Amino acid sequence: MTHHMNGMMSHQEDMTSHEGAHASKSAPLYRLLIQTGTDDKAFTERTHTIYFTQGLQYQRGRWSVDAVLPVAVRHSDSETFKGRGLGDLHIRNSFALLGGHGKFSVSAVALLKAPLGDAKKGFGSGEWDAGAFLETMAVAGPYFGFAEFGYMALGDPPGVAFQNPLTYMAGGGRFFAGRRLGLMAQLAGSGEITAGAGATRQAGL
């Protein structure tokens, strides 16, 4: 699910502004995140994808809005899924229930996904999706960690009936060069989306 990979960008933006939120609360924050991922559940062949994900965040007080758009380069044994293209646009609106300006926070998150990616190439679903999540974040010096649990309401492509799954994501990493650079790893997954397909899992760096 592209939500998992794009969620990494939102988490990195949140971590970057986590301790300095007072200084940046009314200024948009731009980030470019390079990610790699391997998937053998969503595609008929094992695929390796590099994501160049752009994100823009606006934060004010306890509210934060993120817009995330990936550009994907995919290598696969299948000609159908290999290539490059835009992914789906993700817009996340979060509210800090606890913390928000310190070293630890708990937030409620609403997600809306707009279908901009090519569904035939696997860069997008071709449908609108929405989700609701509870996420926690922690920062300790140059190190950070996060965890998220939620529910996705998935749009159904023609002839396909998706189930609306529970989702999870957890990871952590380290900042470098005064928080201008960072390295992050995550594990994410969801319940069954299509009948008989089983649960999904993704790992990313």
Side-chain angles (χ1 to χ4, degrees), residues 38-58:
T38 299
D39 197 315
D40 58 3
K41 278 286 189 180
F43 305 99
T44 55
E45 304 285 345
R46 178 175 288 265
T47 64
H48 302 276
T49 308
I50 301 174
Y51 297 89
F52 299 89
T53 305
Q54 301 179 84
L56 190 65
Q57 181 188 68
Y58 180 83

Side-chain angles (χ1 to χ4, degrees), residues 62-64 92-98 105-111 131-136 148-149:
R62 292 181 176 269
W63 290 99
S64 177
R92 291 166 55 99
N93 188 359
S94 64
F95 179 77
L97 302 173
L98 296 173
S105 70
V106 177
S107 299
V109 180
L111 169 72
F133 311 92
L134 186 68
E135 66 177 21
T136 63
E148 179 183 278
F149 181 78

Side-chain angles (χ1 to χ4, degrees), residues 102-119:
K103 297 181 181 296
F104 177 80
S105 70
V106 177
S107 299
V109 180
L111 169 72
L112 180 66
K113 183 182 73 63
L116 299 187
D118 186 345

Side-chain angles (χ1 to χ4, degrees), residues 2-3 8 54 79 81 91 109 118 120 150-151 154 168 185 197:
T2 54
H3 154 66
M8 292 180 70
Q54 301 179 84
E79 291 294 328
F81 298 119
I91 299 175
V109 180
D118 186 345
K120 293 181 180 179
Y151 174 82
L154 303 177
Y168 65 88

Side-chain angles (χ1 to χ4, degrees), residues 1 3-5 7-8 11 41 92 132-135 146-152 165-171 186-193 198-203:
M1 296 175 67
H3 154 66
H4 295 317
M5 301 307 293
M8 292 180 70
H11 288 306
K41 278 286 189 180
R92 291 166 55 99
F133 311 92
L134 186 68
E135 66 177 21
F146 61 87
E148 179 183 278
F149 181 78
Y151 174 82
M152 288 291 296
L166 297 175
T167 68
Y168 65 88
M169 179 164 50
Q186 77 157 22
L187 177 66
S190 73
E192 190 172 76
I193 297 175
T200 67
R201 294 182 301 277
Q202 289 181 336

Side-chain angles (χ1 to χ4, degrees), residues 10-183:
S10 297
H11 288 306
Q12 188 188 55
E13 288 178 340
D14 289 341
M15 292 297 180
T16 303
S17 60
H18 200 54
E19 291 184 316
H22 290 295
S24 60
K25 64 182 179 180
S26 60
L29 178 66
Y30 173 81
R31 285 289 182 269
L32 174 64
L33 179 65
I34 301 175
Q35 309 156 264
T36 64
T38 299
D39 197 315
D40 58 3
K41 278 286 189 180
F43 305 99
T44 55
E45 304 285 345
R46 178 175 288 265
T47 64
H48 302 276
T49 308
I50 301 174
Y51 297 89
F52 299 89
T53 305
Q54 301 179 84
L56 190 65
Q57 181 188 68
Y58 180 83
Q59 185 171 349
R60 187 173 184 84
R62 292 181 176 269
W63 290 99
S64 177
V65 178
D66 304 86
V68 178
L69 182 65
V71 176
V73 179
R74 179 173 295 128
H75 301 278
S76 173
D77 294 334
S78 170
E79 291 294 328
T80 302
F81 298 119
K82 72 189 322 182
R84 62 178 62 90
L86 287 177
D88 290 337
L89 173 66
H90 289 65
I91 299 175
R92 291 166 55 99
N93 188 359
S94 64
F95 179 77
L97 302 173
L98 296 173
H101 296 317
K103 297 181 181 296
F104 177 80
S105 70
V106 177
S107 299
V109 180
L111 169 72
L112 180 66
K113 183 182 73 63
L116 299 187
D118 186 345
K120 293 181 180 179
K121 284 284 188 180
F123 294 122
S125 68
E127 301 295 332
W128 292 83
D129 299 335
F133 311 92
L134 186 68
E135 66 177 21
T136 63
M137 299 184 187
V139 177
Y143 300 98
F144 61 87
F146 61 87
E148 179 183 278
F149 181 78
Y151 174 82
M152 288 291 296
L154 303 177
D156 294 332
V160 179
F162 283 149
Q163 301 181 48
N164 296 328
L166 297 175
T167 68
Y168 65 88
M169 179 164 50
R174 191 186 194 282
F175 286 116
F176 302 93
R179 294 180 179 260
R180 292 189 296 272
L181 298 174
L183 182 64

